[in-house]
Amino acid sequence: MENNAYDAGVLALEQKNYAKAIENLEKAYADKKTFKLNYLLFSAFKGLNEHAEASLIAEDYLLDYIRDNEKLSEYVKEAILAGKVRKIQMTLDLMGGFMTSNEADSFSKLFEKTLAQARKDRSVADIKRQLAHLGALDTLGQRKLVSQADCLTIEEFKEAVVNDLNDPYVHPLVRASLLDELRYLGSKEKVRYRLFSGEEQEFIPANLKELDEYLMYQRLVMLLENDDTISEDLRPAMLAELRLKLQLLYPKLALYQDPAQLYRVLLQKDDMSEAETALANELEKSLKQWNV
């Protein structure tokens, strides 16, 4: 079946019957993943102008695309047209030290040209304006807009979200995701951020850690893994809930010195104090708003 699907997919691709090519190549790819098949499938999605699918499939073998300037150029175009602008900026920035001056100049021009092309069909000005007033939207609207904002450049994103970080009407998980994005982007500009408690503090995003790197997170995961009151099949869901609640508390996870105390609050265990119960209820309320 693999060879039949492969041959049929290659033939359809040669005939520019991209839909049929995708149908067959996906079957072959499911049987055995290879870079060659990946690139054929990428080319078929590209032929249909399915930019999001093309860029997504390429990321299975991104290192192979990076090794080939021509294929990397194709990936860069598809990713930008799919709205993954900051992701491509970061990729090209990280590769800058390994490029010749001519290569760096060529990819810079490609980025600018493709970005201009992508923005003919997208109202970036509206996205920037709405993102700068994110708290005016409901939680679902905030989540959708932040996703659409992937089309903004690093500079545009930083400028647009600076006030959202301490806006009490922006959902805490949205605020946390914006701060974490600035951390990922390596932003060294100090920002004022509203914690889940309502307290405002200043942070330099680049100095923050990813959630998994926090010692408190690692200890809480260990407590969950060793909690014999939770069945094995329920632990993945409980871990997902624990992560969400910690993201609500990001970047100040250490509310208590004792991880067991915080664990009790996050999973709403028995024997909580009045203050712990109040915090647990606030976390649950926030998650319910998020999951609407």
Side-chain angles (χ1 to χ4, degrees), residues 126-135 142 145-146 149 152 156-157 160-161 164 178:
D126 284 345
I127 291 176
K128 288 195 290 185
R129 177 181 53 78
Q130 290 181 65
L131 191 61
H133 301 89
L134 194 56
Q142 291 176 21
L145 185 61
V146 169
L152 300 184
E156 290 168 338
F157 179 79
V161 305
D164 296 326
L178 297 177

Side-chain angles (χ1 to χ4, degrees), residues 22 26 41-51 53-54 57:
I22 290 169
E26 283 186 326
L41 197 48
F42 169 84
S43 300
F45 281 121
K46 179 183 170 185
L48 281 181
N49 291 322
E50 295 283 353
H51 308 300
E53 294 295 336
I57 197 72

